[in-house]
Amino acid sequence: MNWKTICKNKLLSAKEAVEKIKPKSYVFMGAFGSQPKGIEKELVNQSERLKPLTIVQGTVFGTTALLDPRMKNYFRYISLFSTKEVRIAIKEGRAEYLPCLFSEQPEYIEKYFSPNGGPDVACIQVSPPDNSGFCSLGVSVDVARKAADCSKMVIAEINNNMPRVHGDSFIHVNNIDYLIENHSPLPEIKVIEADTISSKIGEYIGELIDDESTLQLGIGTIPDAVLKTLKHKKNLGIHSEMISDGVVDLIETGVINCTKKTYMPGKIVVTFLIGTKKLYDFVNDNPMIMISPVSYTNNPNIIAQNSKMVSINSALQVDLVGQVASEAIQYMQISGVGGQVDFVRGANLAKDGKSIIAFPSTAKKGEISRIVCGHNSGTFITTSRNEVDYVATEYGIAKLKNRTVRERAKSLIAIAHPKFREDLENEAKDLNIF
Ligand code: COA
């Protein structure tokens, strides 16, 4: 029998489903590639009745109507990861950022988000139910799994475009209170052709990656540039919080096959997926993919079970003792901690593991150095100097772990942009670092 017949009583319009939400509720909204857009629009339409509504949401690719300036007095918006739109909203007092390791966000949702712990409502997006009545959370399991499990009410948008991804992603229709149909296309992020700086960084990092390594890579030009250098490597694996299109090419050519992984061999372990239709088609019903809650994928003790684990993440600024700032510059919340610290820790604990922080040597069109003598206040430390291992720029690699402060300063200045090196050296001497 068709699922629509079986779920007849639960199938509502977005308007009807949102009418089930009580004013002053605490609401979890799906994020990443799973933003429930139909519900989002209706929350705005019904904001007068619902106010004040507390909303928590992870990374939003693109925009969200929930952050429309006109919603300021109706919604309290808590962001788990800042993007450009969220950054402005935080600055204007329309959103708040929650500092929290990605691996610990499910615990926050379950225990600390509302006065009673979990959310009153979880709004999620799922694939259509299979013959046994199971929907897949698809491209975003991360925090959504916990939210769906611990919320008092679950409203799900069924999307025919949502892939059915294997792993801890399944939710039975019996555990969903209301269903809405919304078959909008998933958001897409394309591989950006690497510029010369990213290509150079990619080449340096490629040299650090041995055959049979297991990789964690984020989104962006540097991870894509790294992937391009791996064509001749053998038997690579993936244990990452996410993968994008670039990984699919290396799987299809057999470079990434996960056969030598020491943990979950044969499986690509991830917690969310973002790319283009190419990726979404690839992961659909693909037993090689194992998508799991972020409390599992990003648990450093789980990550560490992968020998030759290599984590590759980016940063905004690093000081000469190796303190890595990846989230904020002088109180401007540019992004979030994400899984950086989880994977740095996991890779450091792994047998023969390496953690790499990579970024172009300058920002603001070459005007400022990303390697600085010391951070200003409001430039928060993401990865501590005690945990940082390798730092890469287009000028090479600095190995920091097991190196003294003076050794670190020397090797970081050597990979700073040449036009800033003398100033950095002088500042370091003045401060007795050098
Ligand atoms: N001083 C001032 N501004 C700086 C800066 C610095 N040192 N470095 C970067 N910026 C600004 C850029 O100018 C840019 O501003 P814009 O958006 O107005 O153009 C913005 O910060 C983002 O910088 P950019 O270099 O374009 O960022 P990116 O897209 O390469 O991402 C991080 C870099 C650090 C923000 C990103 O990797 C991140 O969020 N990391 C933390 C989370 C993480 O590691 N997750 C794990 C993998 S998913």
Side-chain angles (χ1 to χ4, degrees), residues 235-286:
N235 301 323
L236 298 178
I238 298 280
H239 183 118
S240 185
E241 65 191 40
M242 53 83 58
I243 56 166
S244 202
D245 286 27
V247 166
V248 178
D249 298 334
L250 289 180
I251 297 170
E252 283 173 350
T253 53
V255 173
I256 293 176
N257 56 29
C258 298
T259 52
K260 298 292 178 185
K261 280 179 78 184
T262 51
Y263 182 72
M264 290 289 164
K267 299 282 181 197
I268 290 189
V269 179
V270 285
T271 196
F272 73 91
L273 300 152
I274 186 88
T276 67
K277 194 167 180 305
K278 172 175 163 174
L279 175 75
Y280 303 141
D281 288 344
F282 178 80
V283 300
N284 186 37
D285 245 326
N286 184 339

Side-chain angles (χ1 to χ4, degrees), residues 81 84 87 216-219 221 241-242 272 312-317 325-327 329 334-340 360 363-364 368-370 382:
F81 192 94
K84 221 163 191 172
R87 189 198 308 177
Q216 174 258 326
L217 304 120
I219 317 166
T221 41
E241 65 191 40
M242 53 83 58
F272 73 91
I312 302 156
N313 292 295
S314 192
L316 300 169
Q317 198 169 281
S326 309
E327 305 164 56
I329 297 284
I334 290 173
S335 89
V337 55
Q340 180 169 126
K364 304 275 175 204
I368 55 171
S369 175
R370 293 208 193 207
T382 306

Side-chain angles (χ1 to χ4, degrees), residues 127-148:
S127 67
D130 61 18
N131 290 338
S132 311
F134 284 96
C135 304
S136 168
L137 289 164
V139 297
S140 167
V141 167
D142 43 80
V143 186
R145 163 91 276 162
K146 177 58 82 183

